[in-house]
Amino acid sequence: MAWLRLIDFNLSTVDLTPSMPLFWETGTHQVVPIQAVQLRAGQLILIPKSGVTPLTLNQLNARTRQLSGPTQLYVQTPDNVQPLFGYRLHQARLLLG
């Protein structure tokens, strides 16, 4: 499996509703809102947090506009940083996993 790169994510989501909220789908299929993004050592890390309003696709695009396309996407878990492999649409939400 290939890790999700920013350019691939942007190209595949260009026609989606900009106000679509972003969530991380855990390995146990829990859904947690994406609260923020950080750039660390060339990695774009999505920060999930329960109980917050999720970032929208438009907000993510605005915050990552200046980044290089090959930048790989990761998610911050309670234990470490894990690569993201893709996403799916479910009930008007974008679930990254």
Side-chain angles (χ1 to χ4, degrees):
M1 285 187 113
W3 293 347
L4 184 60
R5 296 180 314 162
L6 183 60
I7 190 166
D8 299 325
F9 179 78
N10 288 342
L11 289 173
S12 66
T13 60
V14 71
D15 291 327
L16 297 178
T17 305
S19 61
M20 185 170 290
L22 305 176
F23 291 82
W24 172 51
E25 186 173 24
T26 70
T28 59
H29 302 290
Q30 291 178 309
V31 177
V32 184
I34 299 296
Q35 171 201 20
V37 295
Q38 291 181 351
L39 186 62
R40 279 190 246 155
Q43 300 173 337
L44 180 61
I45 302 171
L46 306 181
I47 312 296
K49 183 175 180 182
S50 297
V52 299
T53 301
L55 286 178
T56 64
L57 186 57
N58 194 43
Q59 289 170 321
L60 178 66
N61 289 336
R63 293 174 187 191
T64 61
R65 192 163 283 129
Q66 301 298 326
L67 296 180
S68 171
T71 301
Q72 294 182 341
L73 279 68
Y74 294 81
V75 65
Q76 179 69 58
T77 69
D79 301 322
N80 58 17
V81 174
Q82 296 179 353
L84 291 170
F85 294 98
Y87 67 89
R88 68 185 182 101
L89 302 175
H90 181 69
Q91 298 178 346
R93 300 184 297 183
L94 199 144
L95 306 180
L96 294 137

